[in-house]
Amino acid sequence: MSGGRRTATTAARTTHPGAPTSSASVSASSGRSALPDAPPTRSLVLWCPDWPVIAATTATGADPARPFALVAKGLVYACSAAARADGVTRGLRIREAQARCSTLVVQPYDEALDHRMFEPVIRAVEAAAPGVHVLRPGTIAIRSRGPARYYGGERAAAITLAGIAADSGAPDVRVGVADTPFAAEQAARAGGSERFRVVRAGGSPEFLAPLPVSILGRDDLTTVLGRLGITSLGDFATLTDEQVRDRFGAEGAFLHRLAGGRDPREVSARDVPPDLAVDAPFEPPLDRADQVAFAFRRSADTFMERLGAAGLVATAIRIDVTDDNGICLDRTWAHPRWFDAADIVDRVRWQLQGGTGPSGLEAAVAHIRLEADAVDSVDNHERGLWGAGPDERVHHGLARIQGMVGHDGVVTARIGGGRTLAERTVLVPWGDTPAGGERALAVARARPWPGALPGVAPGTVLDRPRPVDVVTADGIAVDVDPRGTLTAEPERFRADGDRGGAFTGVTAWAGPWPLVVRWWEAGGRRLHRLQLVDAEGRAWFLVLADGRWWAEAVGT
C-alpha cells in the first residue's frame, strides 16, 4: 500500500549488472574506442545465493529445507535447493513446477521484503567497510583497496566480510575479487565449492573469456550471437566496439565492454537512509490490544521526534508485530496526509484487533517494530499562512471519525473491473490504497470482462438492490423466456414494487443481457439485465434474479 516516494528503510540505489547506464556510452569511431578506458577499480563482491528464498522463509517462518518457490507474474522467480533437486527451475510456470514437485510450497515474490530483510546485512558490512554499493538485494560491491589494506590482503578481507554478513543473516556468502564489479560478481558465482575467489590484477578478460554469453542476461542477444557462432564472452569480446554498436546499439555496446573486462561502472557508496525505525519490546508480553496500544504510545512519540529531526513526515508506515510464539504479523499503512503519533497508535490497535483470539490477538505480543515506508519533506506539508484549507479540515474530520468507529468504518469508493456493478465497486478504508494500488484498478478496468455491459456507468449504484415491477400495458409481469428474450414489451414501471406505488410509463428500454454467475459452483445463478427509461426521464439498471426484477442503479 505504500506509494512511489523515497523510502527510509531500503537502499536508494540498485543497479542490475547488465543494465545500461549513462557511463556506458561508447565512441562512434572505429576500433576499440577513441577514448582510453578508465583504469580498472579492483572490486570485491559479496553474493548470497538464493537470497529471495532466504528472505521469504525467514520472514514467514517456513522451512528452508523444504521445496520452496517464489512466483512473479505466474512464473517461478526463485526456488530453494530442494526444489531444484526435484527439477524446478527459474522461469517455469506454476503448474509445471508443481507437476515436477508435488510438495512445492509456493508464495508470491515481494521485492520490498527482499530489500527490507537485506538492510541489516548492508549496515553490518558498512560498519566494517564503508562505501557499499548495492547491486541488488543479496549482492553488494565494495572497492577492495581499503578493506585489503586494513585486513591484510584481498582474501583476508573477503573472509572477514563474509563472516560479518553471515552473522547478520546472510548465510553461505560467496565472495569474488576482480578488476571490475561484473568480473568480481562472476568470480563469486563461478567459485563452485570455493567460497572465496580472487582473480589476479589484470586477469579479468582471461577469466571471463570461457564463460557463456548467457550470463549477460539478454536472451535475444544470446540467440543472435549463437546463430553467428559466438557462444562465449571471449568470442564476443573479440568484436570491435563499432561492429557491436552498429548491430546491437548502446545496450549491446555496454554488454560488450562487460564481456571484455572493461566494466564502465564505478563502485560508489550508497546514500545511507536515516535510521527512523523504533523497536518496542514487551516483557512480559501483553495479551490485550488496548494495553499494547497504550504501551506503544511512547515509541510512537520517539518515532515522530526522529522524523522531525530529519525534516521529514511519514506518508506510509510499516508495523511488524511479533507475538509470543515468534510469529510476525506485518502490514503497511498509508495516510492521505501524513502520520502523527495518535494516527500511529490507532493503526497499531487496528492491526492487533484483526487477530482471531478472544481479545483480538492470537497470542500475547512480545515485540513491535515501526518503520517509515514512505517519507516526504516536511516543507511540502507546512500549514498555509491563513490556516488549513477545506481539504485539510475534511482529512482531520474523517480521521477523527475513523479513530472512533475503526479502520473499516470510513471508506471511499473506487471503480474497479468486473461484470456486475457490485464487482466494479471497490470500497477502500480511508487513507489506504486499493490492493495492488491505483494502477492495479486501472488495469482491471481495462480488461475485456466478457459479459460486462459497455457504455457509461450509472450515476448512482444503490447500496441494496430495490424490488421493482416491470409490466405490460395490461398489467402482466414481463419475464425472460428460456431463449433469453422478453416475454412481452415493457410499457409500465413501478420503482417501489413492495410499497404499491403508482406506475409510470416506459419511454425506452434495451436488453435483456444474460449473465451466468459462478456456473461451476452449486450456488451459481443465471441473471438477466435490462435498461429502461421511465416517463420522468430517469434511467434504471435492472436485474432479473430468482423470478423478480431488482433495481441496482439509477441515473438521470
Side-chain angles (χ1 to χ4, degrees):
M1 292 186 290
S2 61
R5 291 176 285 272
R6 181 174 72 117
T7 64
T9 57
T10 59
R13 300 183 59 179
T14 305
T15 307
H16 191 280
T21 63
S22 59
S23 60
S25 59
V26 184
S27 170
S29 62
S30 61
R32 281 287 179 195
S33 176
L35 299 176
D37 290 328
T41 300
R42 293 285 289 178
S43 302
L44 184 151
V45 171
L46 286 80
W47 170 60
C48 181
D50 297 333
W51 173 254
V53 174
I54 294 173
T57 54
T58 301
T60 60
D63 184 3
R66 294 186 57 188
F68 186 91
L70 295 173
V71 177
K73 298 180 180 179
L75 303 176
V76 174
Y77 178 84
C79 57
S80 64
R84 289 194 295 271
D86 289 339
V88 179
T89 59
R90 180 172 181 173
L92 285 181
R93 294 186 179 275
I94 300 177
R95 184 170 298 178
E96 184 177 355
Q98 291 174 332
R100 296 186 180 186
C101 179
S102 59
T103 60
L104 185 67
V105 178
V106 177
Q107 288 188 7
Y109 172 64
D110 185 355
E111 183 179 3
L113 175 66
D114 256 11
H115 284 274
R116 187 170 61 255
M117 296 295 291
F118 197 58
E119 183 68 20
V121 181
I122 300 173
R123 291 184 181 272
V125 174
E126 270 180 334
V132 170
H133 181 121
V134 182
L135 298 177
R136 74 188 65 83
T139 307
I140 56 178
I142 310 171
R143 296 192 180 199
S144 67
R145 179 181 178 184
R149 294 179 63 181
Y150 185 81
Y151 292 107
E154 291 178 335
R155 186 173 183 84
I159 296 174
T160 302
L161 296 179
I164 293 173
D167 294 339
S168 303
D172 194 29
V173 169
R174 309 299 178 92
V175 184
V177 184
D179 295 331
T180 65
F182 177 75
E185 181 177 353
Q186 300 312 314
R189 291 176 176 269
S193 59
E194 184 181 359
R195 293 180 55 194
F196 313 102
R197 183 163 185 172
V198 179
V199 179
R200 64 177 178 82
S204 293
E206 180 182 353
F207 163 73
L208 293 172
L211 300 180
V213 294
S214 58
I215 67 173
L216 295 174
R218 296 296 186 272
D219 294 339
D220 52 349
L221 178 66
T222 301
T223 301
V224 174
L225 292 179
R227 293 172 179 172
L228 298 175
I230 300 174
T231 59
S232 66
L233 295 185
D235 296 337
F236 188 33
T238 58
L239 302 177
T240 65
D241 289 342
E242 183 179 22
Q243 290 173 329
V244 175
R245 184 183 60 254
D246 291 346
R247 177 62 178 84
F248 300 106
E251 182 178 0
F254 171 75
L255 298 175
H256 177 241
R257 300 188 71 178
L258 293 184
R262 299 179 295 139
D263 192 342
R265 298 171 300 169
E266 292 290 335
V267 177
S268 56
R270 68 170 186 151
D271 297 327
V272 181
D275 187 8
L276 303 173
V278 296
D279 292 276
F282 303 113
E283 184 60 40
L286 303 178
D287 58 359
R288 292 184 58 86
D290 54 349
Q291 292 176 341
V292 176
F294 181 79
F296 191 75
R297 187 176 297 275
R298 183 180 296 274
S299 299
D301 292 334
T302 302
F303 178 75
M304 295 305 302
E305 291 173 0
R306 293 183 181 180
L307 284 173
L312 302 172
V313 294
T315 56
I317 60 174
R318 180 183 179 85
I319 301 174
D320 296 340
V321 179
T322 304
D323 63 21
D324 203 20
N325 297 327
I327 299 176
C328 180
L329 174 65
D330 59 83
R331 181 167 179 177
T332 301
W333 298 88
H335 199 283
R337 298 182 301 125
W338 46 270
F339 284 95
D340 57 22
D343 293 332
I344 294 173
V345 173
D346 283 340
R347 268 60 178 184
V348 170
R349 186 177 69 254
W350 296 339
Q351 184 165 332
L352 296 176
Q353 290 172 347
T356 58
S359 62
L361 305 174
E362 293 187 355
V365 176
H367 182 272
I368 293 182
R369 180 175 178 83
L370 170 64
E371 298 179 356
D373 195 72
V375 297
D376 196 8
S377 173
V378 70
D379 296 337
N380 298 329
H381 299 269
E382 291 290 347
R383 293 172 62 89
L385 181 62
W386 308 111
D391 290 345
E392 192 77 10
R393 292 194 294 271
V394 169
H395 289 315
H396 181 68
L398 292 178
R400 288 190 61 187
I401 296 173
Q402 192 177 42
M404 293 184 290
V405 301
H407 179 236
D408 297 328
V410 181
V411 296
T412 55
R414 301 285 195 278
I415 299 178
R419 298 171 179 82
T420 65
L421 295 178
E423 291 176 347
R424 298 189 65 187
T425 304
V426 180
L427 297 179
V428 182
W430 173 256
D432 285 2
T433 54
E438 296 288 352
R439 180 178 178 83
L441 283 185
V443 172
R445 288 195 298 268
R447 290 176 181 173
W449 294 110
L453 293 180
V456 181
T460 302
V461 178
L462 304 177
D463 293 337
R464 296 180 180 179
R466 181 191 306 177
V468 298
D469 291 327
V470 182
V471 299
T472 65
D474 299 330
I476 301 174
V478 176
D479 204 344
V480 177
D481 62 26
R483 305 187 67 176
T485 60
L486 294 179
T487 57
E489 183 173 340
E491 299 185 25
R492 299 175 65 193
F493 171 74
R494 182 165 59 186
D496 296 318
D498 287 347
R499 298 182 182 180
F503 279 94
T504 182
V506 175
T507 59
W509 60 274
W513 297 278
L515 177 64
V516 181
V517 180
R518 306 186 72 86
W519 54 267
W520 59 90
E521 293 183 353
R525 297 189 303 167
R526 183 178 182 88
L527 308 177
H528 295 274
R529 296 160 294 171
L530 179 70
Q531 292 177 334
L532 61 81
V533 179
D534 62 19
E536 299 178 4
R538 294 179 299 179
W540 294 86
F541 180 84
L542 309 180
V543 175
L544 179 64
D546 302 325
R548 182 66 189 270
W549 288 103
W550 302 83
E552 284 197 345
V554 60
T556 56

